[in-house]
Coordinates of all heavy atoms in Angstrom, one line a residue:
F1 N 126.3 103.5 113.9 CA 125.9 102.8 112.7 C 126.2 101.4 113.0 O 125.4 100.5 112.6 CB 126.6 103.2 111.5 CG 126.3 104.6 111.0 CD1 127.1 105.3 110.1 CD2 125.2 105.3 111.5 CE1 126.8 106.5 109.6 CE2 124.9 106.6 111.1 CZ 125.6 107.2 110.2
K2 N 127.2 101.0 113.7 CA 127.5 99.6 114.0 C 126.5 99.0 114.9 O 126.1 97.8 114.7 CB 128.9 99.4 114.6 CG 129.4 98.0 114.5 CD 130.9 98.0 114.9 CE 131.5 96.6 114.7 NZ 133.0 96.6 115.1
E3 N 126.0 99.8 115.8 CA 124.9 99.3 116.7 C 123.6 99.1 115.9 O 123.0 98.1 116.2 CB 124.7 100.4 117.8 CG 123.5 100.1 118.7 CD 123.7 98.9 119.6 OE1 124.9 98.4 119.8 OE2 122.8 98.3 120.0
K4 N 123.3 100.0 115.0 CA 122.0 99.9 114.3 C 122.1 98.9 113.1 O 121.1 98.1 113.0 CB 121.6 101.3 113.8 CG 120.3 101.1 112.9 CD 119.7 102.5 112.5 CE 118.7 102.4 111.5 NZ 117.6 101.4 111.8
Y5 N 123.1 99.0 112.4 CA 123.2 98.2 111.1 C 124.0 96.9 111.2 O 124.1 96.1 110.4 CB 123.7 99.0 110.0 CG 122.9 100.3 109.7 CD1 123.3 101.5 110.2 CD2 121.6 100.2 109.2 CE1 122.5 102.7 110.0 CE2 120.8 101.3 108.9 CZ 121.3 102.5 109.4 OH 120.6 103.7 109.2
K6 N 124.7 96.7 112.4 CA 125.6 95.6 112.7 C 126.7 95.5 111.7 O 127.3 94.4 111.5 CB 124.8 94.3 112.7 CG 123.5 94.3 113.5 CD 123.7 94.8 115.0 CE 122.5 94.9 115.7 NZ 122.7 95.5 117.0
I7 N 127.0 96.6 111.1 CA 128.2 96.6 110.0 C 128.9 97.8 110.3 O 128.4 98.9 110.5 CB 127.7 96.5 108.6 CG1 126.8 95.3 108.3 CG2 128.9 96.6 107.6 CD1 126.2 95.3 107.0
G8 N 130.3 97.8 110.3 CA 131.1 98.9 110.5 C 131.4 99.8 109.2 O 131.4 101.0 109.3
A9 N 131.6 99.1 108.1 CA 132.0 99.8 106.9 C 130.8 100.5 106.3 O 129.9 99.9 106.0 CB 132.6 98.8 106.0
L10 N 131.1 101.9 106.0 CA 129.9 102.6 105.5 C 129.6 102.1 104.0 O 128.4 102.1 103.7 CB 130.4 104.1 105.3 CG 129.3 105.2 105.0 CD1 128.3 105.2 106.0 CD2 130.0 106.5 104.8
S11 N 130.6 101.6 103.3 CA 130.3 101.2 101.9 C 129.4 99.9 101.9 O 128.6 99.7 101.0 CB 131.6 100.9 101.2 OG 132.3 100.0 101.9
K12 N 129.6 99.1 103.0 CA 128.8 97.9 103.1 C 127.4 98.2 103.6 O 126.4 97.5 103.3 CB 129.5 96.9 104.0 CG 130.8 96.3 103.4 CD 131.4 95.2 104.3 CE 132.7 94.7 103.7 NZ 133.4 93.8 104.5
I13 N 127.3 99.3 104.4 CA 125.9 99.6 104.8 C 125.1 100.2 103.7 O 123.9 99.8 103.5 CB 126.0 100.6 106.0 CG1 126.7 100.1 107.2 CG2 124.6 101.2 106.4 CD1 127.0 101.2 108.3
T14 N 125.7 101.0 102.8 CA 124.9 101.7 101.8 C 124.9 100.9 100.5 O 123.9 101.0 99.8 CB 125.5 103.1 101.5 OG1 126.9 102.8 101.0 CG2 125.6 103.8 102.8
N15 N 125.9 100.0 100.2 CA 126.1 99.4 98.9 C 126.0 100.4 97.7 O 125.4 100.1 96.7 CB 125.0 98.3 98.8 CG 125.2 97.1 99.6 OD1 126.3 96.7 99.7 ND2 124.2 96.6 100.4
S16 N 126.4 101.6 98.0 CA 126.3 102.7 97.0 C 127.3 102.4 95.9 O 128.5 102.1 96.3 CB 126.5 104.1 97.5 OG 126.6 105.1 96.7
E17 N 127.0 102.7 94.7 CA 127.9 102.6 93.6 C 128.9 103.8 93.7 O 129.9 103.7 93.0 CB 127.2 102.6 92.2 CG 126.4 103.8 91.9 CD 125.6 103.7 90.6 OE1 125.6 102.6 90.1 OE2 125.2 104.8 90.1
N18 N 128.6 104.8 94.4 CA 129.4 105.9 94.6 C 130.3 105.9 95.9 O 130.9 106.9 96.3 CB 128.7 107.2 94.5 CG 128.1 107.4 93.2 OD1 128.7 107.2 92.1 ND2 126.8 108.0 93.2
A19 N 130.3 104.7 96.6 CA 131.1 104.6 97.7 C 132.6 104.9 97.4 O 133.1 104.7 96.4 CB 131.0 103.1 98.4
H20 N 133.1 105.6 98.5 CA 134.6 106.1 98.3 C 134.6 107.3 97.4 O 135.7 107.6 96.9 CB 135.5 105.1 97.8 CG 135.5 103.8 98.8 ND1 136.1 104.0 100.0 CD2 135.2 102.5 98.6 CE1 135.9 102.8 100.7 NE2 135.5 101.9 99.8
M21 N 133.5 108.0 97.2 CA 133.5 109.3 96.7 C 133.0 110.2 97.9 O 132.0 110.0 98.5 CB 132.4 109.4 95.6 CG 132.9 108.8 94.3 SD 131.6 108.7 92.9 CE 131.3 110.4 92.7
A22 N 133.9 111.2 98.2 CA 133.8 111.9 99.5 C 132.4 112.5 99.8 O 131.7 112.3 100.8 CB 134.9 112.8 99.7
F23 N 131.9 113.1 98.6 CA 130.6 113.7 98.8 C 129.4 112.7 99.1 O 128.6 113.0 100.0 CB 130.3 114.6 97.6 CG 129.0 115.4 97.7 CD1 129.0 116.6 98.3 CD2 127.8 114.9 97.1 CE1 127.8 117.3 98.4 CE2 126.6 115.6 97.2 CZ 126.7 116.9 97.9
D24 N 129.5 111.6 98.3 CA 128.4 110.6 98.5 C 128.5 110.1 99.9 O 127.4 109.8 100.5 CB 128.6 109.6 97.5 CG 127.5 108.5 97.5 OD1 126.4 108.8 97.1 OD2 127.7 107.4 98.0
D25 N 129.7 109.9 100.4 CA 129.7 109.4 101.8 C 129.2 110.4 102.8 O 128.6 110.0 103.7 CB 131.3 109.0 102.1 CG 131.8 107.8 101.4 OD1 131.0 107.0 100.9 OD2 133.0 107.6 101.4
C26 N 129.4 111.6 102.6 CA 128.7 112.7 103.5 C 127.2 112.6 103.4 O 126.5 112.6 104.3 CB 129.1 114.0 103.0 SG 130.9 114.5 103.5
V27 N 126.7 112.5 102.1 CA 125.2 112.3 101.9 C 124.7 111.1 102.7 O 123.7 111.1 103.4 CB 124.8 112.2 100.5 CG1 123.3 112.0 100.3 CG2 125.2 113.6 99.8

């Protein structure tokens, strides 16, 4: 993901309001 999106943190890639909810992170 860091290679493609140039960001390491999953929450910053997705900007999801459900970040740090385990299921949403899997999705």
Side-chain angles (χ1 to χ4, degrees):
F1 292 167
K2 197 168 184 180
E3 175 67 21
K4 176 170 169 54
Y5 302 103
K6 311 306 179 188
I7 302 173
L10 190 62
S11 59
K12 292 183 179 179
I13 297 172
T14 64
N15 287 317
S16 171
E17 62 182 15
N18 294 322
H20 302 295
M21 289 172 59
F23 185 81
D24 188 73
D25 287 347
C26 286
V27 174

